[in-house]
Amino acid sequence: MPDITKMEQEFQARIDRDEKIEPKDWMPEAYRKTLTRQISQHAHSEIVGMLPEGNWITRAPSLRRKVALIAKVQDEAGHGLYLYAAAETLGIDRATLLEELHTGKAKYSSIFNYPATTWADMGAIGWLVDGAAIMNQVPLCRTSYGPYARAMVRVCKEESFHQRQGYEIMLTLSRGTEVQKRMAQDALNRWWWPSLMMFGPSDKDSQHTEQSMRWRIKRFTNDELRQRFVDMTVPQAEFLGLTVPDPDLKWNEETQHYDFGEINWEEFWNVVKGNGPCNRQRLRARVKAHEEGAWVREAAMAYAEKRQQRENAAVAQVA
Amino acid sequence: MKKDWPLWEIFIRSKNGLSHKHVGSLHAADAQMAIENARDVYTRRNEGISIWVVESKHITASSPDQAESLFDPADDKVYRHPTFYDLPDEVKHI
């Protein structure tokens, strides 16, 4: 590489030695920018991801299901906060991060632009969407940027309960009445392909993959992770007695992997561009919550400042 | 309001006998709220029994540029380690 500066070479050498990069270390601007984009996108996904599930809390079929769903949604808020904090170590402030989400400048995972129409969707989301998220996130525990890696360790520890509670819902439904079983199958039919799309565009169309792999921000390509997810999930669907909605899906003895059908990339890009079933609704809900919470944030700050002033005055009087 | 609440660094003692360890940061209007938020964000699964919060602006950190001058002097002082000293094997408990 002819144009690369000495500092960039040293930086790359550190990455190649598997050293972690910490906030105050020198880093190329493009590394900072890529990470800010990826971490904030990840944070936004956690926050927007609360919406489809939050909608079902009041309608959970039992107290057991309800407390689990509340805990899961609360975890997602927590994960969003770990990730926002990690993004802020790169020099961007929270208000800017939120503004980028609210104006549509920043993206979040397209999966949350699909509606959760039945209770079985709570099962399918936990099983498939959280399953795909875990597949993406586990390698990120070793990502080259320290604060991101540390946040991901916490996230991954907490995430496995999400997937298990989802699978348990699917298991109960698929062992239930005919109607319940149909509900479970219908949820799988609707969530299967969007879950595969969660791994992003195919490697040949992914503009960020190569550089991100070199910087060890990403440790595996989109297609590698997608294949792993399919291999792991198909037997789980079989155990439920449900059918994966892909006529081309079959075990390949030679490669020891499942072959699967082509993803509808037109749908993928369409949802990314903002035209999925719920894009506008999700953003509207976020903006509304943010705006309607403004007075609380302002009042808390005003109260803290007033108390601080009183304390200062009291100290001054004693002195 | 464009202005963020102040940023706080959060330290958690996981159990008595261990020191508080940095776990991350969060925004809060004041110290009390920082503790309450830290409880919700960082200790949802019994991770701690005690929380310290410090407003981030009060932390002074060494710069990575200083690392050499700060830490290299320790590199050539092997005599600070017990293995530097040659003793015969017959001598026990030392």
Side-chain angles (χ1 to χ4, degrees):
Chain A
M1 275 165 275
D3 288 329
I4 207 162
T5 67
K6 191 163 167 286
M7 274 166 110
E8 277 176 342
Q9 280 171 354
E10 274 166 20
F11 179 81
Q12 188 61 48
R14 291 187 63 193
I15 299 273
D16 294 342
R17 286 195 301 271
D18 244 341
E19 279 180 34
K20 294 280 184 241
I21 307 302
E22 294 294 343
K24 293 182 135 216
D25 294 347
W26 183 87
M27 60 187 85
E29 267 320 295
Y31 178 85
R32 188 184 297 278
K33 214 176 132 199
T34 300
L35 268 174
T36 307
R37 180 182 54 79
Q38 180 171 333
I39 301 174
S40 65
Q41 205 167 302
H42 198 158
H44 299 326
S45 301
E46 297 283 356
I47 298 301
V48 177
M50 293 193 283
L51 295 172
E53 292 174 310
N55 189 34
W56 277 95
I57 289 173
T58 54
R59 290 176 285 166
S62 68
L63 186 58
R64 184 175 188 276
R65 294 287 186 229
K66 191 175 191 159
V67 291
L69 192 57
I70 291 173
K72 181 177 191 287
V73 172
Q74 196 187 3
D75 272 352
E76 277 147 15
H79 297 174
L81 292 174
Y82 308 153
L83 287 161
Y84 279 133
E88 286 173 79
T89 63
L90 291 160
I92 189 165
D93 58 47
R94 182 76 57 97
T96 308
L97 288 167
L98 294 181
E99 194 178 286
E100 286 181 354
L101 171 66
H102 297 157
T103 55
K105 188 177 170 231
K107 301 279 177 225
Y108 54 87
S109 180
S110 279
I111 193 84
F112 303 115
N113 290 319
Y114 290 85
T117 51
T118 74
W119 171 251
D121 289 15
M122 293 306 99
I125 289 175
W127 171 37
L128 300 172
V129 175
D130 288 82
I134 291 170
M135 196 57 82
N136 264 326
Q137 287 167 349
V138 167
L140 288 175
C141 296
R142 294 188 301 124
T143 194
S144 59
Y145 188 57
Y148 191 24
R150 291 192 286 275
M152 291 322 299
V153 169
R154 297 186 66 91
V155 169
C156 287
K157 263 191 210 159
E158 300 180 349
E159 199 88 50
S160 92
F161 123 68
H162 298 182
Q163 197 191 11
R164 289 173 65 101
Q165 69 90 36
Y167 194 77
E168 197 193 79
I169 292 172
M170 293 302 275
L171 194 59
T172 307
L173 291 173
S174 64
R175 300 286 184 267
T177 64
E178 266 314 301
V179 176
Q180 287 172 321
K181 200 175 163 182
R182 269 207 305 278
M183 239 168 91
Q185 180 64 54
D186 165 65
L188 172 57
N189 292 348
R190 284 179 293 108
W191 290 96
W192 176 256
W193 290 105
S195 299
L196 295 195
M197 293 176 197
M198 281 177 70
F199 296 93
S202 111
D203 294 348
K204 59 181 191 333
D205 300 318
S206 173
Q207 48 169 332
H208 302 297
T209 293
E210 205 193 323
Q211 181 59 66
S212 288
M213 296 277 285
R214 200 156 44 236
W215 278 331
R216 301 199 185 177
I217 294 173
K218 279 173 88 154
R219 319 276 320 206
F220 300 97
T221 70
N222 297 351
D223 287 336
E224 282 169 339
L225 292 168
R226 186 165 17 238
Q227 181 68 56
R228 276 195 208 179
F229 176 74
V230 172
D231 290 346
M232 184 192 81
T233 311
V234 171
Q236 295 170 352
E238 282 167 2
F239 185 83
L240 295 172
L242 301 178
T243 311
V244 173
D246 178 359
D248 297 323
L249 182 80
K250 61 172 188 300
W251 177 251
N252 185 328
E253 198 53 51
E254 205 173 305
T255 60
Q256 292 289 302
H257 291 293
Y258 282 94
D259 293 335
F260 55 96
E262 185 67 21
I263 287 171
N264 182 347
W265 293 113
E266 199 187 317
E267 176 184 325
F268 172 82
W269 290 114
N270 202 29
V271 183
V272 169
K273 283 179 192 134
N275 304 315
C278 300
N279 293 57
R280 275 172 284 270
Q281 189 185 331
R282 298 290 184 237
L283 264 193
R284 210 162 42 228
R286 277 315 317 153
V287 171
K288 181 169 180 271
H290 188 71
E291 285 174 355
E292 290 180 357
W295 72 270
V296 179
R297 294 190 296 277
E298 284 161 23
M301 202 62 239
Y303 175 68
E305 277 163 3
K306 194 169 86 180
R307 240 182 24 175
Q308 188 63 48
Q309 276 166 9
R310 274 198 199 140
E311 246 171 63
N312 292 349
V315 170
Q317 224 163 34
V318 172
Chain B
M1 182 186 70
K2 178 84 166 73
K3 209 173 123 236
D4 285 323
W5 281 341
L7 190 66
W8 300 76
E9 300 301 324
I10 311 302
F11 301 81
I12 306 267
R13 185 202 293 285
S14 55
K15 60 178 189 184
N16 270 356
L18 297 178
S19 43
H20 287 76
K21 193 175 162 228
H22 184 244
V23 292
S25 49
L26 50 75
H27 290 276
D30 59 24
Q32 189 53 39
M33 189 195 280
I35 286 182
E36 284 158 12
N37 289 356
R39 197 280 307 259
D40 289 342
V41 177
Y42 292 107
T43 66
R44 286 193 302 282
R45 288 176 178 76
N46 309 98
E47 288 93 337
I49 54 147
S50 161
I51 301 172
W52 285 354
V53 299
V54 182
E55 208 179 327
S56 308
K57 69 176 184 195
H58 295 311
I59 291 184
T60 308
S62 66
S63 151
D65 307 336
Q66 295 173 286
E68 229 169 273
S69 64
L70 286 175
F71 308 116
D72 281 5
D75 284 351
D76 58 0
K77 295 181 177 57
V78 282
Y79 46 85
R80 284 177 177 169
H81 299 275
T83 46
F84 178 75
Y85 300 92
D86 291 324
L87 297 185
D89 289 345
E90 300 92 278
V91 186
K92 302 296 180 199
H93 307 298
I94 182 162

